[in-house]
Amino acid sequence: MNSIGLKMEGIVKDFPGVRALDHVDFIVNKGEIHGLLGENGAGKTTLMSVLCGLYRAEAGSVYLHDSNTDSEREVVISTPREAIVCGVGMVHQHFRLVQSQTVLENCILGIRDTNLVVDYKAIEKDIIELGKRYGMEINPEAYIWELSVGEQQRVEILKMLYRDAEILIMDEPTAVLTPQEARLLGETMKLMAIEDKTIVFITHKLDEVIEFTHRSTVLRDGKNVSTVDTGNTTKRELANLMVGRDVVFSIVRPNISPGDYVMEMRGVSVYDSRGVQTLKDIDIDVKSGEILGVAGVSGNGQKELAEVATGLVGCKNGSIYIGGRDMSDSSAGKFIKAGVSHIPGDRIGVGLVGNLPVSDNLILKSYQIKEICGGLLFNQRFVHEYVDRLIDEYEVVTPGRDTLARNLSGGNQQKMVLAREIESTYRCYDDTRLIVAVYPTRGLDVGATEFVRSRLVKQCSEGAGILMVSDDLEEIIAISTRIAVMYSGYIVDVVKADCVTLEDLGMLMAGERPIDEI
Amino acid sequence: MKFSVEPRIEATSSLRFVVMCTSILCAFMFGGLIMAIVGVDPVDTYVAMLEGAIGRSEDWNDGQFYSITETLVKAIPLMITSLAVGVAFKMLFWNIGAEGQLVAGAMAGSGVALFAKDYGLQSTYAVINIVLMCIAGVMGGGLWAIVPAFLKTKFKVNEIITTLMFNYVAILWYQYLFNVAWKDPDGMGFPGTAKFDGIWILGRISGRLHWGLGIALVSGLLVWIILDMSKWGYEIRVIGQNLKAALYGGIDVNRNVLRVMLFSGGLAGLAGTVEVSGVSYSLQEGLNVGYGYTAIIVSWLSRLNPIAIMIVSVVFAGIMVGGDQIQMTMGLPSSVAYVLQGAMLFFVLGGEFFVRYRMTIIIGQRHADS
């Protein structure tokens, strides 16, 4: 086996009231792709933040490979700059790129030892060279805002490689990618491993762990539970290690016969601010007791579909009915009152207010009801009871209702959003309840994913209609009643979920109808 | 020796307090440094300022509270305008126009005080007249603020520019009124309107201190209740912290912009009315001395907290009165007060860094706190 590329020993990190890392040992060899797994809040990001100099550990040491002696050497990394100097580069989940600058400018941003006059030609050559070497060809003169998400991520990686990073930390890199892009990223990582780079790959997607990594380490509650050879393990074993108990992988779709229409869209078209048509003549409906899954490569109109279904965007042509009521000209507020709730795809940007406490966040959709606010002032006692009940029922792990929402882990933030959205549908004109869930389990760990899915299914069997947009095809097939497939703003087809295969869906997502139907 | 900086998860309130006190101390030390460079003794100057702001113990023993009441007289308009901009800032709406709204309110209030009797609207009870005048002032300031708000909601015009420019418009109108249109014919050529009749004047508590203090305290209470306990305050908080989430939650953002600016401008207008009715008794020179701008500093230093605004306003008023005092007794420019105010803003905002991040000094290769 190769020499050790990175060794972290006995790392301890305390946050007020919690020990986030408890004597964690973590070893990655050179030329290895090493999966780092764990539930939200298990300490993955904290451990890597210590390595990158963002957090200072209470105890423990870090050793890196020293090419002069070909053995490991202890280093102290106390600032992000020192991390770069030591050859540690992190590709963050949320990119650290300057949108209005070019690829090249982003690559050299912050490098100190450049000459007064920058030799752009030479740098350009280096970047093209690096891109070729790792299968990430990109135009160095392109502006970041012109690039797709996948390309932006490549710039992030190139940036690190350009700075001679020997250790690359990839923080959930595939969460934002399409399956094709994810596969390309896998190839790139393999190329980097061949070049003896040390790669830490943080992810929730167990398939990718199996496919890409050599070994993986599982963290749970701030402890290193196990480091395993990926070749000798299974998804189920990894999932069990992460959660610490047996995980039920299959949640059965609700088995009740669908009732009345909860939502109907008839001939809906939508144009964006530049006049581009994003939804074309959409005809779909959701009945009570039914989950309508929406599949498609992201960016084919799913976001807009959810925005129309929740009243955030008005439809230009066509009509939308909620519980039989024509809502074509209604505002988001009216939709909420009509029993429509919305678990947004952009949890942090839209779904919650990070700088406000959990309690303020939990009442966002119900602060107008008369129990909370009969007149002008809030009934504080009712709010406290209501909020505490939701925290309890939806197993939101938080120090208290006054904790700021941004300090919760991703899974708990989503549970909070889920709690608020499900509860808000109970208080409307009639029994109509529609839950529009966009990527409801994206970025969540196994435990939280299971929780969210089972709650959605439970709502469905209690009579709510659910419109679920997801990029996880297995999820869609597992819990949907019917599946609508979107391609470039159209609904290609609506199929029954119990008689469709992944391959069928893949064809439809590429915009091709099965031949026998034409 | 190296510095290591890492973000804090959540800062404790005791830490905030310590950082705040240290920052203010640094500001005064910085001010002292400037004084030393100019060639005066900082300690003497600060003592003189303090005596100017709160008086000397001999005066207190004689029952003389002139300095304290002067400080409070200056604190009244500062409190009300700081509350006004604070409410707008809470929604991340940058109302830089409190100065103009104050002047607009003063014009409206003065207009009522001067001309209401011509239309038979004058009561024999001062209380009723004052209420009428305040309503006019609130409407004046509110109308002055609603125009930029409307432009923002309708055409997305940047409110920083419009509210700021409206200040100049208001001030020019105000100068036109007391120099020309409403100028007192019996004023022997001096600019200014006629003095208000006694029933249009706010009563005094002690010295020049008038019942505007009560109005300021009630305003503070009102703002506190609105921001902390009401549905409206909740909407303001959500809009201010995450606009997208507010839209997603079904909050009507445009309506809130109009409402908040009507309220914010109304409060600033009230401050103007209280000034003319409580201090100058007429519309005359000297109203636009920058309360509306100082209010921006005060509300930021107070972190938009209404109770803190009341306290910081008094401190700032004290610095202003103290500055006037050293100008008279020591021949130093009163702008020392502005240096101090600026330094306080600078240091307190700078101190924010230590609230958000934990800084440690690392000596040698081992970790060491210090």
Side-chain angles (χ1 to χ4, degrees):
Chain A
M1 199 67 208
N2 270 321
S3 48
I4 287 173
L6 160 70
K7 183 160 95 177
M8 300 179 81
E9 220 174 46
I11 304 287
V12 177
K13 175 71 200 171
D14 289 327
F15 288 133
V18 269
R19 173 151 285 193
L21 295 174
D22 188 1
H23 296 92
V24 174
D25 296 330
F26 182 60
I27 299 172
V28 188
N29 293 322
K30 280 180 80 66
E32 178 187 335
I33 304 174
H34 195 109
L36 183 56
L37 305 170
E39 294 195 271
N40 301 110
K44 304 179 301 276
T45 312
T46 312
L47 183 67
M48 289 303 111
S49 298
V50 168
L51 181 58
C52 289
L54 292 168
Y55 289 138
R56 199 171 53 81
E58 261 68 41
S61 344
V62 178
Y63 303 86
L64 299 180
H65 182 263
D66 187 343
S67 51
N68 297 328
T69 60
D70 198 30
S71 62
E72 63 265 32
R73 173 174 60 93
E74 183 172 2
V75 291
V76 176
I77 298 173
S78 42
T79 64
R81 182 167 293 281
E82 287 174 8
I84 294 171
V85 171
C86 290
V88 176
M90 182 150 176
V91 175
H92 292 271
Q93 211 175 343
H94 306 283
F95 305 142
R96 312 282 161 103
L97 296 171
V98 182
Q99 293 284 325
S100 57
Q101 288 191 341
T102 63
V103 173
L104 187 149
E105 286 166 334
N106 270 282
C107 283
I108 57 172
L109 189 70
I111 296 183
R112 274 186 182 169
D113 49 357
T114 47
N115 295 326
L116 197 58
V117 180
V118 182
D119 185 356
Y120 284 102
K121 278 268 154 26
I123 298 168
E124 195 175 322
K125 225 180 99 212
D126 289 350
I127 292 173
I128 293 176
E129 172 66 22
L130 269 178
K132 276 204 184 116
R133 201 154 109 210
Y134 297 107
M136 299 185 289
E137 282 171 56
I138 205 150
N139 174 12
E141 282 170 13
Y143 287 93
I144 299 301
W145 55 263
E146 298 174 318
L147 304 178
S148 71
V149 172
E151 288 172 318
Q152 293 190 16
Q153 187 174 61
R154 273 175 241 159
V155 178
E156 277 279 26
I157 300 171
L158 273 177
K159 194 168 90 180
M160 294 308 156
L161 292 172
Y162 185 73
R163 289 162 193 206
D164 295 325
E166 281 301 316
I167 298 171
L168 280 121
I169 305 158
M170 320 277 282
D171 189 5
E172 296 190 37
T174 55
V176 293
L177 301 181
T178 62
Q180 290 83 347
E181 286 174 323
R183 210 164 338 105
L184 278 176
L185 177 70
E187 294 304 316
T188 300
M189 288 199 295
K190 281 175 186 162
L191 284 172
M192 293 194 294
I194 291 169
E195 299 249 337
D196 246 10
K197 304 274 183 201
T198 307
I199 299 160
V200 180
F201 176 52
I202 305 177
T203 186
H204 285 306
K205 298 185 184 166
L206 298 176
D207 292 316
E208 292 171 355
V209 175
I210 302 281
E211 196 176 333
F212 299 149
T213 67
H214 301 111
R215 292 191 304 159
S216 6
T217 293
V218 179
L219 294 184
R220 189 168 75 227
D221 299 331
K223 293 194 184 74
N224 181 345
V225 185
S226 176
T227 297
V228 294
D229 280 329
T230 315
N232 302 332
T233 188
T234 61
K235 271 166 66 178
R236 177 169 292 270
E237 190 193 345
L238 288 174
N240 290 351
L241 282 172
M242 279 162 67
V243 185
R245 63 187 155 81
D246 257 331
V247 180
V248 190
F249 248 132
S250 50
I251 291 168
V252 198
R253 72 175 65 97
N255 189 19
I256 64 163
S257 48
D260 299 332
Y261 285 123
V262 176
M263 185 213 61
E264 294 167 79
M265 279 191 201
R266 298 294 169 227
V268 168
S269 292
V270 167
Y271 298 82
D272 69 7
S273 53
R274 288 171 300 170
V276 177
Q277 191 170 11
T278 48
L279 288 184
K280 298 166 187 165
D281 202 21
I282 302 283
D283 256 324
I284 52 167
D285 44 61
V286 179
K287 300 192 186 81
S288 109
E290 174 183 67
I291 297 181
L292 178 70
V294 178
V297 177
S298 71
N300 275 288
Q302 298 94 318
K303 181 168 150 270
E304 289 79 7
L305 184 73
E307 285 174 348
V308 172
T310 52
L312 281 173
V313 167
C315 45
K316 177 95 177 170
N317 306 107
S319 343
I320 173 164
Y321 303 90
I322 302 294
R325 207 185 289 260
D326 189 348
M327 302 284 286
S328 306
D329 300 318
S330 298
S331 64
K334 294 255 172 59
F335 273 73
I336 293 169
K337 288 205 180 78
V340 178
S341 71
H342 181 193
I343 299 169
D346 183 1
R347 192 181 308 146
I348 294 169
V350 177
L352 52 86
V353 190
N355 283 334
L356 291 183
V358 169
S359 82
D360 275 354
N361 273 284
L362 277 171
I363 60 171
L364 180 61
K365 285 293 183 71
S366 40
Y367 74 96
Q368 310 224 22
I369 64 172
K370 65 175 187 300
E371 288 89 341
I372 288 185
C373 185
L376 295 170
L377 299 186
F378 276 168
N379 177 350
Q380 294 292 353
R381 189 184 303 161
F382 181 84
V383 171
H384 290 170
E385 281 170 11
Y386 178 77
V387 165
D388 288 345
R389 179 171 69 80
L390 292 196
I391 290 175
D392 193 44
E393 273 181 27
Y394 289 83
E395 301 170 21
V396 182
V397 180
T398 166
R401 63 173 107 88
D402 295 325
T403 303
L404 300 185
R406 68 178 148 90
N407 289 338
L408 300 191
S409 72
N412 284 308
Q413 288 176 342
Q414 186 71 336
K415 284 181 186 172
M416 186 177 80
V417 172
L418 184 78
R420 178 184 71 208
E421 295 307 315
I422 287 178
E423 290 300 312
S424 75
T425 58
Y426 287 114
R427 323 204 171 245
C428 31
Y429 309 130
D430 46 34
D431 291 340
T432 306
R433 293 168 61 221
L434 173 70
I435 299 171
V436 178
V438 185
Y439 306 124
T441 59
R442 184 185 260 186
L444 299 192
D445 58 60
V446 181
T449 299
E450 187 192 358
F451 183 89
V452 169
R453 284 182 193 162
S454 66
R455 285 299 167 111
L456 286 177
V457 168
K458 178 161 168 268
Q459 281 305 307
C460 190
S461 22
E462 286 173 10
I466 297 178
L467 180 72
M468 182 180 76
V469 176
S470 176
D471 50 3
D472 184 341
L473 292 183
E474 286 175 17
E475 170 174 272
I476 289 200
I477 292 181
I479 68 173
S480 305
T481 324
R482 291 182 299 147
I483 302 172
V485 184
M486 292 195 79
Y487 177 73
S488 118
Y490 291 104
I491 299 284
V492 184
D493 203 356
V494 181
V495 293
K496 279 215 148 52
D498 48 9
C499 48
V500 72
T501 62
L502 272 175
E503 286 70 33
D504 294 343
L505 281 184
M507 289 283 280
L508 289 169
M509 281 165 68
E512 293 170 37
R513 299 177 72 103
I515 293 158
D516 55 0
E517 278 187 33
I518 297 173
Chain B
M1 192 175 78
K2 285 189 291 187
F3 295 101
S4 145
V5 175
E6 64 176 329
R8 288 178 201 274
I9 296 294
E10 224 159 335
T12 57
S13 46
S14 58
L15 174 86
R16 286 182 182 286
F17 183 74
V18 170
V19 169
M20 177 65 88
C21 291
T22 317
S23 303
I24 290 173
L25 194 69
C26 287
F28 278 105
M29 277 162 57
F30 176 80
L33 191 71
I34 300 271
M35 291 170 197
I37 291 170
V38 178
V40 294
D41 186 64
V43 177
D44 286 354
T45 316
Y46 278 131
V47 169
M49 281 184 79
L50 190 65
E51 285 177 354
I54 63 171
R56 288 175 301 186
S57 53
E58 301 96 280
D59 300 337
W60 299 349
N61 293 336
D62 298 345
Q64 292 277 329
F65 297 105
Y66 172 80
S67 301
I68 294 180
T69 54
E70 270 316 291
T71 296
L72 288 175
V73 166
K74 284 236 170 16
I76 292 167
L78 204 49
M79 286 175 180
I80 306 178
T81 43
S82 303
L83 292 166
V85 296
V87 172
F89 287 175
K90 196 91 181 173
M91 203 179 70
L92 247 60
F93 193 92
W94 304 113
N95 180 14
I96 311 297
E99 186 81 357
Q101 290 143 19
L102 177 143
V103 168
M107 289 192 281
S110 302
V112 169
L114 291 168
F115 305 115
K117 59 174 176 288
D118 301 347
Y119 300 94
L121 283 170
Q122 183 164 284
S123 161
T124 46
Y125 296 101
V127 180
I128 295 174
N129 288 331
I130 299 287
V131 169
L132 195 67
M133 206 173 157
C134 285
I135 291 172
V138 167
M139 282 169 57
L143 284 176
W144 211 252
I146 201 91
V147 181
F150 174 78
L151 291 173
K152 172 82 172 187
T153 55
K154 200 75 187 167
F155 305 110
K156 296 198 165 78
V157 181
N158 186 322
E159 74 272 17
I160 301 180
I161 314 255
T162 44
T163 51
L164 184 67
M165 293 204 301
F166 259 59
N167 286 346
Y168 300 107
V169 182
I171 289 165
L172 289 171
W173 270 107
Y174 148 73
Q175 288 171 344
Y176 166 70
L177 287 184
F178 74 74
N179 279 313
V180 184
W182 293 355
K183 189 173 170 184
D184 184 9
D186 308 325
M188 294 183 294
F190 285 108
T193 66
K195 282 251 178 304
F196 304 158
D197 292 338
I199 43 172
W200 291 96
I201 283 172
L202 271 169
R204 284 181 167 177
I205 304 170
S206 163
R208 293 209 309 147
L209 181 60
H210 52 88
W211 279 107
L213 184 65
I215 295 179
L217 292 175
V218 171
S219 306
L221 190 68
L222 183 70
V223 169
W224 180 52
I225 290 173
I226 287 177
L227 287 183
D228 265 35
M229 294 174 219
S230 79
K231 183 160 95 176
W232 188 26
Y234 177 76
E235 292 183 348
I236 292 174
R237 279 206 299 279
V238 174
I239 293 172
Q241 293 295 338
N242 186 345
L243 182 63
K244 280 185 183 165
L247 290 166
Y248 154 78
I251 296 174
D252 188 335
V253 172
N254 281 348
R255 199 175 62 191
N256 267 297
V257 166
L258 295 174
R259 270 201 301 199
V260 163
M261 276 306 275
L262 205 57
F263 184 80
S264 175
L267 264 185
L270 180 66
T273 304
V274 167
E275 274 301 277
V276 289
S277 168
V279 179
S280 64
Y281 306 153
S282 69
L283 196 65
Q284 62 181 37
E285 192 75 55
L287 196 57
N288 56 323
V289 291
Y291 288 123
Y293 298 118
T294 311
I296 298 168
I297 306 183
V298 170
S299 63
W300 266 124
L301 283 184
S302 317
R303 312 179 139 271
L304 312 183
N305 176 324
I307 297 160
I309 282 177
M310 306 315 262
I311 298 164
V312 176
S313 294
V314 175
V315 172
F316 265 51
I319 294 176
M320 277 152 78
V321 174
D324 291 341
Q325 175 74 14
I326 57 170
Q327 182 163 27
M328 285 187 288
T329 59
M330 302 177 71
L332 277 169
S334 65
S335 20
V336 167
Y338 295 111
V339 172
L340 273 178
Q341 289 176 359
M344 274 168 78
L345 183 71
F346 182 81
F347 280 97
V348 170
L349 292 186
E352 194 60 6
F353 179 83
F354 296 95
V355 175
R356 287 203 197 154
Y357 298 94
R358 183 166 78 163
M359 200 165 100
T360 36
I361 298 169
I362 300 162
I363 300 160
Q365 281 294 297
R366 295 308 312 173
H367 297 164
D369 277 272
S370 77

